[in-house]
Amino acid sequence: MSEIKKKNVTKKRTTVAAEKKTPAVVKRAAAVAKKRIKSAAAAEPPATGEVQDVREKQVTKADLKRPEYFFNRELSWLKFNLRVLREAEVETTPILERLKFIAITSSNLDEFFMVRVAGLWDQYENGVSRKDPSGLTVREQLRMISQAAHEQMKLESKILTDVLADLKKAGGPEIKSIEECSEAGKEWLENYYQEMVYPVLTPMAVDASRPFPFLGNKTLNLAVQLITIDGEESMSVVQVPSLLPRLIEIPVEEKRTFVYLEELITLHCKTLFRGCQILDVAPFRLTRDSDLDVDEDDIEDLLQEIEKSLRQRKRGAARRMEIARTANSKIKKFLEENLDLTDEEIYEISGPLDATCFFKFVSLDKMWPWLYEPFVPQRPKDLPEYDNLFDRIKEKDILLFHPYESFDPVVKFVSDAANDPKVLAIKQTLYRVSGNSPIVAALARAAENGKQVTVLVELKARFDEENNILWARRLEKAGAHVIYGLVGLKTHAKIILVVRQEADGIKRYVHLGTGNYNDSTAKLYTDMGLMTANDQFGSDASSFFNLLSGYSRAPIWNKLVMAPIGLREKIYELIENEIRVVNEGGEGHIIAKMNSLLDQPVIQKLYEASMAGVKIELIVRGICTLRPGLEGISENITVRSIVGRQLEHSRIFWFANNGNEQLYMSSADWMPRNLNDRVELFFPVETEEHIARIKEILHLYLEDNVGAHMMQSNGSYRRVMAGKGKKISSQSQLYEQAQLAAAENLAKIPMEQRLRPAPRQEKEE
């Protein structure tokens, strides 16, 4: 271990130990929590003199920076993940769908510790002392995160136990202990262990001559306490093979039965340590710092630097350890010391570790009785038939709403362009694509067909870096011009430009979206896209790609707004316009839907609008650091979060504008990283038909009383209940509307046209 690392570890342990022994620190942390984050169990105005004084005096813009008006980002995210976990408690949801929510919660927490918590520890160890907008120091954030995460993981274990019990009661597959299996089942497991498991296991002793082994991120391991042949007490580690099924199905049991792989290995530890006495075995799992550390100010080749950082990522510092609850303090101390962990980074779990294994479990054969009926994206309302997609787009703008409407038209748009002899060029941004992307295959084919193909592949898309490097090289090999992102910025914008030679000259066709060009996630995430042949959109799209690929100055845009060049200012302008409307005697109204809201200046602008009398309805799925419902500050602001079968991902922004409505969609959330450090696009929807349709969708979200959660002024969320009224599930109704629209469109298509084979989408070999 390096000297710097040793000093950091010592500092971390000393600080944590001192805090545990100092009542004053504990009291101060509790006071901070009570005052700024957990002001009350009920939704009441915070009981601080500063906030109450707001009612008695005019609040200035400077006052709006007070920490009391903001929630902490990380704690807000944990509350979002708690809302996801709570979906597993909804008994009307199919049982295995509830199990999926638990797996999602577990996966989310993994990434949270790998990136956000790891980043905070890095700040702390490097002496960062600044406070966040809510007034918390880095150390205070880490302590409060640990407390909230411990509570959440404890609840996750309880809910998992309940869901598996419900699955058993419903006649579903059962996860048993080996002791509960039949004699035939035990015999089968013995053979399975000898043939499949034992050959791949490697017991790793830890002593003076054999140091503690490196254990990979998110790997499941067994800590073994034993008495050696020499009669000495010692410790060893056994890694649970990740390539073998975590849940082993026993085919000889009368009822469908599974056991955990780690239990089978634990039972056979004596065969791994022959002649030794096994005292105790404890499963544990590590989460490591996995954020990339790329110095973009002094690099010559971004691709090589990303590949170098990917190799380093695998050896990041341990930031969390999950361990099966045990009274064995020796095993805990052994792991704590060898992994440089503190008590607050250790999470004792009652039940199985790593609930992400249930993703594979629910996807096994014959699980359909306990799942939703398959979700089938429908033919888009704006495309009753699309044999000639370019003609359709030329006739009128096309609005797409995924996953309710199929993503196929987007794939077809690129695929048709690749094959069309009239198409001269295709330009596209790629952030996250599927593992077998038909869009990448079409782009490669277009390059091979001699078209000018320019693709900006964002190599810094977190946890998709390796996948994107493979696609970038595949496209280069085909002859495409590939841009490996921009130094200092992530390109998060979603845009395709197709340049086509037509009888009356060059015509540009554009697709703009709120979500990724990923045909897999397009079946799960709610996103919107716009296809247009509008010349002003086309001109802006050309300018956008020229700006990314060359040394052009930013143009004067016709329709598009781009971050980080002007999007922040545009948002201010739109909000200020609603304030002006109110000041002139009109009614100001904003409806904004996004994934996260935490940009402090934008929140302050929303507070100003609320204080002026503008009605603001926010639909924020995840993080929200704005504090709604404060008298005199944000009493005109409501915040709701929709959590359900689909992941809400679209970004939609509607401004009443005194009756002359303005509606925009975007790839960007209202976060500092989106507005300051990413290339994003914000674009208007101008067709009256589309504005009316999107408004109806927004109002349906606002009426939801099934998947909606209302944010309270103290930061807690309350599920919106239908009571005696009609239940309104926005996601269910949107799917029903898509089915109805598709049926109506199908009825208009002549039978001979309906009987044609569906167009075949190209797939990557």
Side-chain angles (χ1 to χ4, degrees):
M1 190 187 301
S2 69
E3 288 303 314
I4 294 176
K5 174 67 175 176
K6 286 180 180 177
K7 289 179 181 178
N8 286 340
V9 171
T10 302
K11 175 185 176 184
K12 180 171 74 169
R13 285 184 176 160
T14 302
T15 302
V16 173
E19 288 169 351
K20 286 161 62 179
K21 297 175 183 177
T22 309
V25 174
V26 176
K27 290 179 181 178
R28 186 167 67 249
V32 169
K34 184 176 180 181
K35 179 179 177 183
R36 293 177 177 152
I37 302 299
K38 300 179 178 178
S39 57
E44 298 175 354
T48 66
E50 289 181 316
V51 176
Q52 289 174 337
D53 287 346
V54 166
R55 308 174 191 179
E56 302 168 10
K57 65 179 182 180
Q58 184 65 36
V59 178
T60 67
K61 290 184 180 180
D63 291 327
L64 295 179
K65 294 183 180 179
R66 290 179 180 174
E68 292 78 17
Y69 299 157
F70 298 89
F71 293 113
N72 173 260
R73 171 197 173 127
E74 318 306 343
L75 298 175
S76 178
W77 183 89
L78 282 167
K79 287 175 182 175
F80 158 66
N81 206 46
L82 181 60
R83 295 195 293 279
V84 177
L85 177 59
R86 290 289 188 187
E87 289 299 306
E89 294 181 306
V90 179
E91 294 184 355
T92 54
T93 301
I95 298 172
L96 290 185
E97 301 290 348
R98 292 164 60 191
L99 201 53
K100 278 187 191 177
F101 280 116
I102 296 172
I104 291 167
T105 301
S106 182
S107 177
N108 287 348
L109 271 175
D110 284 348
E111 184 170 335
F112 179 68
F113 277 92
M114 288 156 59
V115 178
R116 299 302 309 175
V117 175
L120 285 172
W121 273 116
D122 286 346
Q123 289 181 41
Y124 175 70
E125 291 170 357
N126 284 285
V128 175
S129 58
R130 68 175 180 269
K131 295 182 178 181
D132 80 321
S134 72
L136 296 175
T137 65
V138 173
R139 187 70 197 99
E140 287 169 338
Q141 291 180 66
L142 285 166
R143 188 164 48 247
M144 295 172 75
I145 287 168
S146 177
Q147 180 183 351
H150 272 89
E151 292 173 359
Q152 189 168 126
M153 293 179 69
K154 182 179 179 181
L155 178 62
E156 180 188 309
S157 294
K158 177 186 178 301
I159 295 175
L160 175 59
T161 300
D162 293 343
V163 171
L164 292 177
D166 288 347
L167 183 62
K168 178 181 177 181
K169 290 177 187 175
E174 187 176 348
I175 301 174
K176 292 183 176 181
S177 68
I178 295 175
E179 184 62 33
E180 294 174 309
C181 294
S182 66
E183 290 304 316
K186 291 176 182 177
E187 183 179 346
W188 185 91
L189 283 170
E190 180 65 30
N191 292 332
Y192 179 84
Y193 174 80
Q194 296 298 337
E195 294 176 9
M196 298 295 297
V197 182
Y198 179 73
V200 298
L201 295 178
T202 303
M204 294 174 283
V206 180
D207 53 31
S209 62
R210 289 168 288 194
F212 192 89
F214 177 81
L215 303 173
N217 184 39
K218 299 193 292 185
T219 56
L220 185 61
N221 307 277
L222 301 176
V224 184
Q225 181 187 18
L226 48 79
I227 303 294
T228 66
I229 298 172
D230 297 328
E232 296 181 358
E233 186 174 315
S234 186
M235 295 285 183
S236 289
V237 174
V238 179
Q239 188 164 331
V240 177
S242 59
L243 295 179
L244 294 178
R246 171 78 187 285
L247 286 159
I248 306 166
E249 184 169 4
I250 308 173
V252 297
E253 293 287 326
E254 289 185 11
K255 185 179 178 182
R256 196 170 190 187
T257 301
F258 296 80
V259 298
Y260 292 105
L261 175 59
E262 62 267 29
E263 185 188 356
L264 182 62
I265 298 172
T266 298
L267 191 67
H268 288 82
C269 267
K270 289 182 179 180
T271 65
L272 293 173
F273 302 94
R274 295 187 184 279
C276 299
Q277 179 186 352
I278 306 299
L279 300 178
D280 201 359
V281 181
F284 69 98
R285 179 175 182 264
L286 296 180
T287 313
R288 292 187 176 275
D289 181 342
S290 298
D291 207 9
L292 287 189
D293 184 16
V294 180
D295 182 4
E296 297 185 53
D297 294 329
D298 188 27
I299 59 174
E300 295 181 3
D301 189 318
L302 182 60
L303 177 61
Q304 289 183 5
E305 189 66 22
I306 294 288
E307 289 181 314
K308 177 183 174 183
S309 295
L310 285 171
R311 291 191 293 271
Q312 294 172 344
R313 169 193 276 174
K314 296 176 182 178
R315 304 192 70 84
R319 293 306 184 194
R320 176 183 61 159
M321 181 180 74
E322 302 160 81
I323 183 169
R325 185 170 295 280
T326 174
N328 192 323
S329 59
K330 289 186 178 180
I331 287 182
K332 282 179 60 180
K333 186 176 181 181
F334 163 73
L335 294 172
E336 182 178 335
E337 290 179 350
N338 281 281
L339 293 166
D340 301 324
L341 295 167
T342 62
D343 279 351
E344 68 183 48
E345 294 172 292
I346 298 174
Y347 292 74
E348 291 193 60
I349 308 297
S350 298
L353 308 184
D354 186 17
T356 62
C357 68
F358 293 108
F359 281 125
K360 290 184 178 179
F361 179 73
V362 301
S363 64
L364 295 173
D365 290 340
K366 300 178 183 179
M367 293 293 195
W368 58 266
W370 303 280
L371 292 165
Y372 283 124
E373 290 185 12
F375 185 94
V376 182
Q378 302 296 302
R379 182 183 290 266
K381 182 178 182 179
D382 281 3
L383 286 171
E385 53 90 15
Y386 42 94
D387 284 353
N388 193 320
L389 197 51
F390 294 115
D391 285 351
R392 291 287 175 182
I393 299 171
K394 200 171 181 179
E395 287 173 12
K396 67 170 189 175
D397 289 356
I398 305 296
L399 179 68
L400 302 172
F401 189 15
H402 316 299
Y404 310 107
E405 296 179 337
S406 174
F407 190 71
D408 286 350
V410 181
V411 176
K412 181 175 169 58
F413 182 54
V414 183
S415 184
D416 285 1
N419 298 330
D420 190 341
K422 294 181 181 180
V423 169
L424 306 177
I426 306 173
K427 301 184 180 186
Q428 181 170 1
T429 58
L430 290 178
Y431 192 75
R432 300 187 195 276
V433 295
S434 62
N436 192 26
S437 172
I439 285 182
V440 173
L443 289 168
R445 191 170 67 254
E448 290 163 353
N449 288 343
K451 304 183 189 304
Q452 293 281 33
V453 177
T454 302
V455 186
L456 191 149
V457 180
E458 182 48 73
L459 297 185
K460 294 168 285 184
R462 185 176 290 133
F463 302 125
D464 275 299
E465 299 95 345
E466 292 180 87
N467 191 40
N468 285 1
I469 287 172
L470 291 174
W471 286 129
R473 287 183 166 147
R474 166 73 177 90
L475 289 167
E476 279 189 323
K477 187 177 179 181
H481 173 55
V482 178
I483 306 168
Y484 295 119
L486 302 178
V487 173
L489 298 171
K490 279 188 180 181
T491 302
H492 192 247
K494 327 296 182 187
I495 183 171
I496 304 170
L497 169 65
V498 173
V499 182
R500 195 168 185 256
Q501 176 70 60
E502 299 186 351
D504 53 353
I506 295 292
K507 189 69 178 175
R508 286 174 284 208
Y509 297 83
V510 179
H511 175 273
L512 292 154
T514 67
N516 296 307
Y517 291 114
N518 186 317
D519 56 299
S520 295
T521 58
K523 298 172 185 175
L524 304 171
Y525 295 8
T526 71
D527 274 304
M528 286 193 168
L530 183 71
M531 290 177 161
T532 182
N534 181 294
D535 290 336
Q536 291 184 316
F537 276 91
S539 176
D540 281 359
S542 290
S543 297
F544 173 79
F545 281 105
N546 290 342
L547 186 62
L548 296 186
S549 63
Y551 294 104
S552 301
R553 289 182 178 177
I556 297 174
W557 303 99
N558 299 300
K559 299 293 183 182
L560 303 183
V561 184
M562 178 181 170
I565 297 173
L567 179 51
R568 176 181 293 280
E569 291 74 18
K570 181 65 176 180
I571 293 168
Y572 292 168
E573 175 191 316
L574 290 165
I575 297 172
E576 287 169 354
N577 184 58
E578 295 301 312
I579 296 173
R580 180 188 57 78
V581 168
V582 172
N583 290 339
E584 293 176 356
E587 293 185 4
H589 191 184
I590 298 170
I591 304 175
K593 181 180 184 292
M594 65 199 87
N595 298 321
S596 298
L597 171 60
L598 56 102
D599 186 84
Q600 187 176 10
V602 170
I603 291 173
Q604 288 173 226
K605 191 64 66 177
L606 291 171
Y607 285 157
E608 290 177 38
S610 172
M611 291 162 64
V614 178
K615 181 181 181 181
I616 303 170
E617 297 178 286
L618 301 174
I619 306 164
V620 185
R621 185 198 81 224
I623 303 167
C624 182
T625 60
L626 174 147
R627 189 169 194 160
L630 294 179
E631 188 175 343
I633 303 293
S634 57
E635 58 194 337
N636 291 313
I637 303 177
T638 59
V639 180
R640 72 193 67 219
S641 170
I642 307 290
V643 180
R645 182 178 181 182
Q646 314 302 331
L647 184 137
E648 293 295 334
H649 195 255
S650 55
R651 290 97 168 185
I652 308 168
F653 308 93
W654 176 85
F655 302 86
N657 193 29
N658 205 27
N660 186 21
E661 300 167 303
Q662 295 174 293
L663 195 146
Y664 295 84
M665 299 194 295
S666 181
S667 58
D669 293 311
W670 287 355
M671 302 173 68
R673 71 183 188 191
N674 297 98
L675 303 182
N676 302 335
D677 305 316
R678 289 187 173 186
V679 176
E680 304 275 12
L681 287 174
F682 185 84
F683 55 94
V685 177
E686 299 180 323
T687 306
E688 289 186 11
E689 173 190 349
H690 292 160
I691 292 173
R693 182 183 172 194
I694 294 172
K695 269 186 66 181
E696 287 180 6
I697 292 169
L698 289 174
H699 284 295
L700 186 55
Y701 282 127
L702 294 173
E703 294 169 359
D704 192 303
N705 55 28
V706 173
H709 304 252
M710 290 295 295
M711 188 180 188
Q712 310 301 306
S713 61
N714 67 348
S716 63
Y717 283 78
R718 290 181 179 173
R719 184 183 288 273
V720 179
M721 305 299 290
K724 295 182 179 179
K726 179 183 176 183
K727 285 189 176 182
I728 300 173
S729 166
S730 55
Q731 294 189 350
S732 296
Q733 288 201 19
L734 288 168
Y735 186 41
E736 290 169 7
Q737 290 174 10
Q739 289 176 308
L740 181 61
E744 290 174 351
N745 281 336
L746 185 63
K748 298 174 185 176
I749 301 174
M751 184 59 69
E752 61 272 15
Q753 194 169 334
R754 284 194 239 171
L755 294 175
R756 292 180 193 169
R760 179 177 178 270
Q761 302 296 350
E762 296 292 332
K763 291 278 186 179
E764 178 69 15
E765 296 298 328

